[in-house]
């Protein structure tokens, strides 16, 4: 679980960013609409994922989960939403990725938002990461 202030040293941030690997497209359901693509990255840690839904290289939806915390953004309502996932709960249902739920925070957790931005910055030269970083402006 992340500490409340989400402080990590630069080496841990770099390690997390470097561990993200793109999952093969054939493992994902196609997008809802024609032209929509989904991109999924998974990190070495359990429950460390990043998802994108795009249309013509434009991010429509983004979700990042790490250590029981979540950050999401949706073009239809372009603001940051943080929350807590059930992935670290120790019950039978929590072991299945398809059952992940997110309990949204009432106020954005800016410490977590800045941590996610720092992790994305480690891969800023890659197009999808650069596009995600542009959402922070």
């Amino acid at each position: 679980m992340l500490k409340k202030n989400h402080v990590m040293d630069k080496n841990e941030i770099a390690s997390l960013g470097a561990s993200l690997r793109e999952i093969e497209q054939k493992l994902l359901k196609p997008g809802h609409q024609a032209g929509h693509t989904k991109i999924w990255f998974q990190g070495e840690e359990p429950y460390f994922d990043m998802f994108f839904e795009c249309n013509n290289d434009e991010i429509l939806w983004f979700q990042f989960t790490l250590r029981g915390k979540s950050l999401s953004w949706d073009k239809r309502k372009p603001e940051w939403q943080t929350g807590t996932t059930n992935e670290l709960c120790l019950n039978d249902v929590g072991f299945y990725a398809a059952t992940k739920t997110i309990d949204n925070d009432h106020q954005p957790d800016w410490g977590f938002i800045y941590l996610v931005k720092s992790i994305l910055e480690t891969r800023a030269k890659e197009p999808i990461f650069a596009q995600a970083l542009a959402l922070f402006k």
Side-chain angles (χ1 to χ4, degrees), residues 22 25 28-32 36-40 52-54:
E22 188 169 354
Q25 285 290 322
L28 299 172
K29 288 184 188 178
H32 312 47
H36 287 206
T37 57
K38 292 183 179 183
I39 303 168
W40 176 22
F52 297 94
E53 185 165 344
C54 302

Side-chain angles (χ1 to χ4, degrees), residues 8-70:
M8 287 186 193
D9 68 37
K10 289 182 182 188
N11 291 334
E12 186 174 11
I13 289 169
S15 177
L16 287 168
S19 79
L20 286 164
R21 298 288 179 255
E22 188 169 354
I23 303 301
E24 288 187 49
Q25 285 290 322
K26 66 183 180 183
L27 298 176
L28 299 172
K29 288 184 188 178
H32 312 47
Q33 300 171 2
H36 287 206
T37 57
K38 292 183 179 183
I39 303 168
W40 176 22
F41 286 85
Q42 207 170 39
E44 285 181 5
E45 287 191 17
Y47 314 116
F48 179 25
D49 296 291
M50 188 168 58
F51 296 92
F52 297 94
E53 185 165 344
C54 302
N55 185 22
N56 298 323
D57 297 326
E58 177 186 16
I59 296 173
L60 303 175
W61 176 80
F62 164 76
Q63 184 180 73
F64 183 103
T65 58
L66 173 67
R67 301 177 187 173
K69 288 292 294 176
S70 162

Side-chain angles (χ1 to χ4, degrees), residues 50-108:
M50 188 168 58
F51 296 92
F52 297 94
E53 185 165 344
C54 302
N55 185 22
N56 298 323
D57 297 326
E58 177 186 16
I59 296 173
L60 303 175
W61 176 80
F62 164 76
Q63 184 180 73
F64 183 103
T65 58
L66 173 67
R67 301 177 187 173
K69 288 292 294 176
S70 162
L71 174 64
S72 58
W73 180 90
D74 189 323
K75 182 179 178 180
R76 294 172 294 179
K77 189 177 177 190
E79 57 189 42
W80 293 114
Q81 178 66 61
T82 57
T84 305
T85 72
N86 69 329
E87 293 170 314
L88 299 180
C89 296
L90 299 176
N91 62 38
D92 291 342
V93 177
F95 291 116
Y96 300 100
T99 62
K100 174 172 55 178
T101 61
I102 297 172
D103 183 22
N104 290 330
D105 295 334
H106 295 291
Q107 298 292 321

Side-chain angles (χ1 to χ4, degrees), residues 105-120:
D105 295 334
H106 295 291
Q107 298 292 321
D109 180 342
W110 289 102
F112 187 66
I113 293 169
Y114 294 130
L115 173 62
V116 171
K117 183 179 181 212
S118 296
I119 294 169
L120 295 174

